[in-house]
Amino acid sequence: MERLIIIGSGPAGLTAAVYAARANLDPLVLAGGLYGGQLMLTTEVENYPGFPDGIMGPDLMMKFREQAERFGARIENVDATSVDFSKRPFVVRTADNQYEAKSVIVATGASARWLNIPGEEKLRGRGVSTCATCDGAFFREKRIVVVGGGDSAMEEALFLTRFGSSVTVIHRRGGLRASKIMAERATAHEKIDFIWDTVVEEVLGDPVMTGLRLRNVIDGTTRDFAADALFIAIGHTPNTAIFEGQLDLDEAGYIDSPDGTSTNVDGVFVAGDVNDIRYKQAITAAGSGCKAAMDAEKYLEALEFAVKEEVHT
Ligand code: NAP
């Protein structure tokens, strides 16, 4: 029986692992086949404190991992495929194993949605990004495009005006989904212009992005548009499929938590982007991983104390 299983190995899961291992909880981390989370898909990270010269996303995650292992966290690169939180001990299954645990931290993150168009994957980190906060500063005085019509797209576009020589928002419809205030701010900004009723069909350039192939969805015409960066802001999908029916989720599929670490199941905690529709930063995920581990420690302490008392009486 495990005392603590951590599902996920991005900044939240691995920070929880560092804290839990140092608290002698002997955590087992089910890191996922594609371990390390979203930072494994990023190039340079310049806003993670402690690295004044920046650090590559995958290198940062290897450091997180080494630090957790140094204190004894056991990390397996396997996906959790299903859970049963309706009974105790909790059950977590992988393709080949079934684990029982007294407590669980869910840190499975969220995945940025991609357009799934030609050139997008090849030019990731070479012009194509899903995070303006992370990558905007690489495009000073460059022509920047943002795809999307929601609040995220407006927020990204407004943020990117600090860097780009121009910021063009491309939206597939003729009206924005964003809240009125965000839409007004973006439309009023002198550096931001809009291309409506248009989809991006291909990202162009080799080895770096040089433009986009656009298609007007009303008349079907296509044209090439010169640009240096494409920020895709069409939403995130929380990685919660295996928790449906087990944990309370909000309407967007994120795990509901009244305080950012607890869930509707006592003993199951949550950390990182899987509960964060707002900030989605490595540092905020790491902070919540720390909190979840400390709360799990308190929970286990009380649980194991209660069991000891029962044995004595
Ligand atoms: P969202 O509201 O779901 O908007 C996604 C946008 O991307 C929509 O305009 C959608 O177009 C477009 N889109 C989706 N799939 C697409 C595709 N394959 N190709 C082209 N366009 C596509 O997502 P979000 O902007 O990330 O916001 C998520 C939630 O967080 C919202 O509730 C939002 O209000 C909130 N949020 C708030 C703030 C803030 O208040 N500062 C900041 C960020 C996010 P359609 O409009 O045609 O569907």
Side-chain angles (χ1 to χ4, degrees):
M1 159 107 69
E2 300 290 340
R3 294 178 83 197
L4 171 65
I5 290 181
I6 298 168
I7 308 176
S9 60
L14 291 178
T15 302
V18 169
Y19 274 77
R22 292 189 78 251
N24 283 337
L25 301 184
D26 189 27
L28 171 67
V29 182
L30 301 179
L34 295 170
Y35 65 87
Q38 291 187 73
L39 283 189
M40 299 300 277
L41 306 175
T42 327
T43 51
E44 201 169 2
V45 179
E46 287 187 325
N47 54 6
Y48 199 87
F51 298 93
D53 302 320
I55 181 168
M56 298 304 279
D59 294 345
L60 180 59
M61 292 325 297
M62 287 317 293
K63 284 186 185 291
F64 268 72
R65 188 174 171 127
E66 279 164 28
Q67 194 171 352
E69 284 176 329
R70 180 180 151 210
F71 297 111
R74 292 160 295 138
I75 303 181
E76 293 187 14
N77 294 341
V78 290
D79 289 308
T81 51
S82 68
V83 296
D84 186 349
F85 295 154
S86 67
K87 57 183 185 197
R88 282 147 211 275
F90 303 125
V91 175
V92 181
R93 298 183 197 91
T94 63
D96 298 325
N97 272 311
Q98 172 162 312
Y99 301 91
E100 291 185 336
K102 291 181 186 172
S103 65
V104 173
I105 294 175
V106 175
T108 46
S111 307
R113 287 197 204 123
W114 295 88
L115 293 166
N116 297 317
I117 53 172
E120 178 183 59
E121 195 175 344
K122 184 183 81 181
L123 293 168
R124 258 185 221 179
R126 297 185 171 84
V128 179
S129 169
T130 52
C131 179
T133 317
C134 318
D135 298 329
F138 298 121
F139 299 101
R140 284 179 203 279
E141 292 308 312
K142 303 279 187 197
R143 297 157 303 180
I144 296 175
V145 168
V146 176
V147 172
D151 279 326
S152 295
M154 297 310 107
E155 200 168 67
E156 302 273 83
L158 286 161
F159 177 76
L160 288 163
T161 57
R162 299 179 199 187
F163 309 109
S165 55
S166 65
V167 177
T168 303
V169 176
I170 296 179
H171 186 34
R172 63 183 178 183
R173 292 189 296 123
L176 294 172
R177 176 179 298 281
S179 56
K180 201 159 182 282
I181 185 164
M182 295 294 283
E184 276 174 6
R185 256 185 233 161
T187 45
H189 200 288
E190 58 185 13
K191 255 194 196 177
I192 299 179
D193 58 350
F194 289 80
I195 298 179
W196 303 105
D197 300 311
T198 296
V199 292
V200 180
E201 282 204 323
E202 186 175 350
V203 188
L204 308 171
D206 189 12
V208 295
M209 178 181 146
T210 52
L212 301 169
R213 179 146 308 142
L214 306 183
R215 180 169 57 83
N216 182 301
V217 294
I218 307 271
D219 61 18
T221 52
T222 58
R223 64 172 163 133
D224 289 354
F225 183 83
D228 307 292
L230 169 65
F231 286 86
I232 299 163
I234 60 171
H236 283 75
T237 307
N239 301 319
T240 50
I242 65 168
F243 306 110
E244 274 170 30
Q246 300 283 332
L247 294 176
D248 284 350
L249 308 178
D250 67 17
E251 73 265 12
Y254 289 80
I255 294 176
D256 255 342
S257 173
D259 57 5
T261 64
S262 60
T263 69
N264 60 307
V265 178
D266 209 22
V268 177
F269 301 88
V270 64
D273 286 9
V274 73
N275 164 247
D276 178 8
I277 203 161
R278 183 158 179 202
Y279 299 104
K280 300 188 186 92
Q281 299 300 301
I283 187 69
T284 51
S288 75
C290 158
K291 289 187 202 169
M294 292 176 78
D295 288 349
E297 184 189 355
K298 286 258 173 324
Y299 169 81
L300 285 168
E301 220 170 70
L303 184 79
E304 289 164 1
F305 181 77
V307 171
K308 265 192 213 142
E309 288 286 286
E310 219 169 83
V311 171
H312 277 107
T313 53

